[in-house]
Structure formats: structure tokens, C-alpha cells
Amino acid sequence: MLPYTCCTRYIRHQATTKLIKNISCAVLQGTNIPEVIQVRKQSKINLRTNSNSNPGLASSIKKIYCNERDPGNHTLKDVGLMHEIPKEDQSSLVLKYDKGFRKKFLTEASAVDKLCIMVRKPGLELVNYLKYSNYSTAVNRYLMYGPAGCGKTMTMMYAVDYCKKQGWLIVPVFNPWTFIQYKNTYIVHQREEIVRSLWNKERVDHPEIAARWLENFRQINSGLLETVFTTREYTWSKHEKTKSGVSFSTLVDLGIARIRIATDVAGCIIREIINQDSPDFPRTLAAVDSANSIFGISTLKIEPGVYLEPQELALVHNFKKILSNKWKNGAVIVGLNTSGIPSQTKRIAKVSSEHPYDILGQEGFDILDPHIPIHVPHYTDKEAISHLAYYQDRKWLVGRSTTEAGEAEILQICGNSPTDICVYCGHLY
């Protein structure tokens, strides 16, 4: 932990840099500069009226953690409390590849030796929908939107934790950016990363990425795949096929062992989920974070100078199917992400709007229409103070950062943004 004086300099430097970038963008776009400066919500705490010796509001909070471990039993009285994920559940919730939780959050959880998700109203609303929906009809699509860093991913993982405790089958698509961008640094591997599909020559397979997704699917549904069975026979080659009635576990193991057919195995799993008609088939949750990425522009090239469109990728084609409402006995949770657009795909401009239509585009919005919108805002003052109280309990904030003045300065600069509070208080990247 850096001294408080270093923390203060770091925070001021980061805030000044961000403000300069916002003003520069405003000048280029013709936006009124005062509007840019006021766009972030500022805490009502006044720095000049707070003491450098008296403890802050976070120090007076006595109850930090929620006693109820099942998110389905949380109520509005629990808003602002921390919902702890036990270590025995983390092995199936923190995935090996394309983790649902952000990297800096997992680094922080490892440092404080505790993985917690704050109970918030959007999460309670989402879980309430999942508890009382009618699953004999077409699936409901829940679309989470809000400003960058407001906690959409954490709200999704809160709902995933609830569904896992209820015995649901989870389809994790936490980072679709990996489907549409080229990341391999070795030229010799470029020919191995994407290949023409054996099933449909008009599409392109992601063998290695599909195998990683199958490992994630097996990890998050550990113990459940042995009880789910296929309903048809699948032929992979002239000499190899899988008979009807095999378990999902056997099918997934085959795709991981035979990477060449991993994409087709993933497509078969999606097909079985969509066409399910057995009363013994478990309820299914499709959790798709950063869903707008599969409706954007790809940076993959099938040949020099020729970019692939996302719809040409077999994985994207299959996951678009599960986003539809043409199946039942399940739910679809979709999260939107604008912060990753300029850094992940340099071929498209940054989206500054929070409106789902502006982020998804016409195609994406039409596929997800109708849907149930869930707005995820920044922290309220109560939630922000609770976040700081959690850090103090884990000894992540000490010294002058726990005083009235230190607490007020952090809240003023972070603007009640969950991500900014995590970054400014943690120095994790």
C-alpha cells in the first residue's frame, strides 16, 4: 500500500489526465466544455469542511457483509452489503479462460483474500425477474446498460451465482471480443487460428478458442453435464460419429480432445439447448457480456487484406442463435460494453452514448427486441461509503485515507464510479 500522500498525487494525476482527454474530445466534437466537466456525478461531501484526523463515514459502518449466502433470499434491506462467494464456489465461478470477473477485480480479491459482490438494486431486480418468470413460454432477454465502469459485469455475475445455486445450466460468453479479433503474436500460428468450417464452407471456425469455451462450459457446469443428454446422432467425419443419448460431458470432452471439431461441438451444444423438449432438461441461463462486440466489425483476416465479418464466424453465428427468443425453459442476460470498443477493435470509433440502440446498432437491437431493460447506474453515496468500509475492513485502506478528508477526496475524484474506486484505491494496474 502506497502512503496516503502518494495515493493523493496518483489520484489527482489520473483525474487530471482523464479531464484533459474529455475536454480534448469535446473540442473536436463541438461539445460544450462545462457539460463535459459536469458529466460525472460528484459526491456532495465538501473537502474543505472535513478533518484530516477524524475518522470518515466508512469507519462508522458496523455491518459490512450479508449473512444470507443465497442471492435469491436477498432483499432491499441488504442493499450496500457485500455478498461473499465462498472459496468452494469460486472454483466453478472463476473460469480458466475469459473470466467473467475483470482481471483487476480478481487481483484485488486475491490481495484481500476475499471475493465479494455488492448487493445492489439492479441485481435484486434481475434475480427477482429470474425467480418469478414463466419458463413454459419464450425466454426473456434482460438487457443491462449504463455508463462504463458502473458494475454491469458484477451484476451479471451476481445473477450467475444465483442460477448456479438453483441448479441451472450456464452458457458463459463473458468475452466475445476474443471471437472477432486477432491476438496471436507469432506469424507461424496465423494459419492455425482460423480455418474454413468442415460443416459449412461459407463459415470460419475458431478451433482453439472454441476448445477454450468448452473448457469454461465444463468448469462452470461441473457435476451437471453428466445428467444432460443429446437427442440426435452427430457425424464428425466418415469414420467418426457420436450416437444419440450421450451425455454433454462426453460431448464436451470430445471437443476438447479433438480441437479440429471443437467449434462444431459447441454448435451442437447450442442446438441441443435451443431444441430441448424434455421435462428433465435443466433451466438454462445464457450470460453474454459485451454482446455488442458480435454485431461490430472483426479484425480477423482470412487472407491478406480481406477482413472477415462477424456473421461469417461459426462461433458468432451459434451464439446469435441463443440470443433469440425462439427457445424456452431459460433466460438470456446481455451486458453492453463501450469501454472496450476503441482498444479492442481499432477499425471502429468509440461509442459515447449509453443507449442500447446506439451501442448495438440496428442488427443487434432487432435481434434482442423485445427485451427487458435494466439500467445499472453508478454507486449511490451509501453504496460508495460501503465500498470504502469493505476496503477498511480488509486493511486495504489505512492511515489518512480513512479520515474524513481522505474519504471525501476519493469520492470526489471517483465520482461514485465502482471501477474508479477499485482502481484509485488499489493501484492494481
Side-chain angles (χ1 to χ4, degrees), residues 199-224:
W199 189 275
N200 188 338
K201 296 300 181 182
E202 295 181 357
R203 297 198 182 96
V204 177
D205 284 352
H206 265 119
E208 296 176 0
I209 292 179
R212 293 173 185 172
W213 182 84
L214 290 174
E215 289 193 48
N216 283 344
F217 183 72
R218 180 175 63 181
Q219 180 182 351
I220 200 170
N221 297 294
S222 57
L224 183 61

Side-chain angles (χ1 to χ4, degrees), residues 397-411:
L397 288 180
V398 294
R400 293 182 61 190
S401 59
T402 63
T403 64
E404 289 182 348
E407 181 181 279
E409 185 170 348
I410 293 174
L411 295 180

Side-chain angles (χ1 to χ4, degrees), residues 229-284:
F229 303 94
T230 60
T231 58
R232 59 169 291 181
E233 180 180 275
Y234 294 101
T235 301
W236 314 112
S237 65
K238 294 181 180 180
H239 309 288
E240 190 174 16
K241 63 181 180 180
T242 300
K243 296 182 179 180
S244 174
V246 301
S247 66
F248 270 28
S249 178
T250 303
L251 195 63
V252 169
D253 291 342
L254 174 64
I256 296 174
R258 295 286 308 279
I259 294 182
R260 186 67 178 85
I261 63 172
T263 305
D264 294 332
V265 171
C268 293
I269 290 175
I270 299 300
R271 182 191 180 279
E272 292 286 344
I273 292 174
I274 293 176
N275 297 329
Q276 58 175 291
D277 56 2
S278 172
D280 298 329
F281 200 94
R283 287 180 181 172
T284 304

Side-chain angles (χ1 to χ4, degrees), residues 194-366:
I194 55 176
V195 293
R196 287 292 177 184
S197 174
L198 297 175
W199 189 275
N200 188 338
K201 296 300 181 182
E202 295 181 357
R203 297 198 182 96
V204 177
D205 284 352
H206 265 119
E208 296 176 0
I209 292 179
R212 293 173 185 172
W213 182 84
L214 290 174
E215 289 193 48
N216 283 344
F217 183 72
R218 180 175 63 181
Q219 180 182 351
I220 200 170
N221 297 294
S222 57
L224 183 61
L225 299 183
E226 292 287 351
T227 63
V228 187
F229 303 94
T230 60
T231 58
R232 59 169 291 181
E233 180 180 275
Y234 294 101
T235 301
W236 314 112
S237 65
K238 294 181 180 180
H239 309 288
E240 190 174 16
K241 63 181 180 180
T242 300
K243 296 182 179 180
S244 174
V246 301
S247 66
F248 270 28
S249 178
T250 303
L251 195 63
V252 169
D253 291 342
L254 174 64
I256 296 174
R258 295 286 308 279
I259 294 182
R260 186 67 178 85
I261 63 172
T263 305
D264 294 332
V265 171
C268 293
I269 290 175
I270 299 300
R271 182 191 180 279
E272 292 286 344
I273 292 174
I274 293 176
N275 297 329
Q276 58 175 291
D277 56 2
S278 172
D280 298 329
F281 200 94
R283 287 180 181 172
T284 304
L285 174 70
V288 185
D289 202 3
S290 304
N292 49 292
S293 62
I294 63 179
F295 302 107
I297 300 177
S298 169
T299 61
L300 294 172
K301 296 179 182 179
I302 192 63
E303 59 185 61
V306 179
Y307 286 98
L308 288 171
E309 296 298 327
Q311 59 266 24
E312 297 181 70
L313 302 173
L315 276 178
V316 172
H317 174 77
N318 289 324
F319 288 128
K320 280 184 178 179
K321 291 181 180 179
I322 208 168
L323 287 178
S324 69
N325 61 347
K326 297 180 180 179
W327 56 289
K328 58 183 180 179
N329 193 31
V332 178
I333 300 178
V334 174
L336 303 182
N337 179 14
T338 59
S339 60
I341 289 178
S343 60
Q344 301 283 2
T345 56
K346 294 183 170 63
R347 298 178 62 203
I348 48 181
K350 182 176 180 179
V351 178
S352 58
S353 173
E354 298 176 12
H355 195 279
Y357 180 85
D358 296 331
I359 300 175
L360 289 168
Q362 185 66 51
E363 179 193 4
F365 194 82
D366 289 343

Side-chain angles (χ1 to χ4, degrees), residues 23-42:
I23 293 176
S24 300
C25 294
V27 171
L28 293 175
Q29 299 174 3
T31 308
N32 190 11
I33 292 179
E35 295 180 2
V36 178
I37 298 177
Q38 297 296 331
V39 71
R40 296 292 299 276
K41 177 183 176 182
Q42 298 297 320

Side-chain angles (χ1 to χ4, degrees), residues 4-48:
Y4 177 73
T5 54
C6 295
C7 175
T8 304
R9 292 171 189 158
Y10 172 81
I11 292 174
R12 286 172 177 167
H13 170 72
Q14 294 293 327
T16 304
T17 303
K18 185 180 294 186
L19 183 59
I20 291 174
K21 290 181 179 179
N22 290 339
I23 293 176
S24 300
C25 294
V27 171
L28 293 175
Q29 299 174 3
T31 308
N32 190 11
I33 292 179
E35 295 180 2
V36 178
I37 298 177
Q38 297 296 331
V39 71
R40 296 292 299 276
K41 177 183 176 182
Q42 298 297 320
S43 176
K44 299 178 181 179
I45 302 176
N46 188 351
L47 290 175
R48 297 183 178 179

